[in-house]
């Protein structure tokens, strides 16, 4: 898909959202990420919004700092012919970018794997009315 206007490309928005989500999951501020990359925090904001495209080398540096491979930033990206979000990916990004989502993810990560985690997921499904 070739973009002809000045609007952000859906892939840049997706990659930026994944950067933001991973940064928040690790408890890293935009300023901390910017300092580690030799950028201004405004540049990190532009990357996260998708208004500025991240170069391959900078994406690699971001991945190293955030402890993920570059493929992480493309997870959930739709097929090239549709460019519509994969099931649940956009909702997950929005949730994990929220204060409540970040808090829940951080707390949930401390719950030992097993029956307790499964019960918590079941509880959330019941409260949300999802089976």
């Amino acid at each position: 898909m070739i973009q002809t206007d000045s609007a952000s490309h859906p892939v840049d928005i997706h990659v930026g959202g994944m950067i933001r989500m991973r940064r928040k999951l690790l408890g890293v501020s935009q300023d901390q990420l910017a300092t580690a990359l030799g950028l201004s925090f405004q540049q990190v904001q532009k990357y996260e919004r998708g208004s500025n495209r991240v170069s391959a080398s900078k994406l690699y540096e971001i991945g190293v700092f955030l402890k993920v491979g570059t493929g992480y930033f493309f997870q959930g990206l739709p097929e090239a012919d549709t460019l519509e979000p994969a099931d649940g990916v956009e909702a997950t990004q929005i949730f994990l970018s929220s204060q409540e989502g970040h808090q829940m993810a951080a707390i949930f990560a401390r719950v030992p794997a097993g029956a307790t985690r499964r019960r918590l997921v079941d509880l959330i499904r019941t409260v949300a009315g999802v089976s």
Side-chain angles (χ1 to χ4, degrees):
M1 172 183 201
I2 297 175
Q3 194 156 353
T4 57
D5 63 355
S6 62
S8 297
H9 192 282
V11 173
D12 297 325
I13 294 169
H14 177 87
V15 168
M18 294 297 283
I19 292 169
R20 180 178 52 252
M21 183 169 57
R22 179 65 181 174
R23 177 183 60 76
K24 287 187 164 211
L25 282 173
L26 294 178
V28 174
S29 70
Q30 287 180 331
D31 195 45
Q32 290 170 316
L33 179 57
T35 299
L37 300 172
L39 301 171
S40 67
F41 81 91
Q42 291 94 339
Q43 182 61 42
V44 170
Q45 286 178 325
K46 290 177 182 180
Y47 284 161
E48 290 185 357
R49 282 195 311 262
S51 57
N52 279 17
R53 183 167 289 154
V54 183
S55 71
S57 58
K58 195 57 72 178
L59 190 61
Y60 176 80
E61 291 176 25
I62 292 169
V64 168
F65 184 77
L66 297 178
K67 300 177 177 95
V68 292
T70 54
Y72 168 86
F73 301 109
F74 298 95
Q75 289 178 0
L77 195 62
E79 294 298 320
D81 58 346
T82 64
L83 286 181
E84 293 177 10
D87 291 339
V89 171
E90 186 175 10
T92 301
Q93 287 178 342
I94 291 168
F95 170 71
L96 289 174
S97 295
S98 73
Q99 185 68 20
E100 295 87 359
H102 177 68
Q103 289 174 349
M104 285 186 69
I107 293 166
F108 188 81
R110 292 181 175 181
V111 176
T116 303
R117 274 190 179 195
R118 287 190 298 276
R119 281 190 228 116
L120 284 171
V121 171
D122 289 342
L123 173 64
I124 293 169
R125 280 189 179 126
T126 300
V127 170
V130 176
S131 52

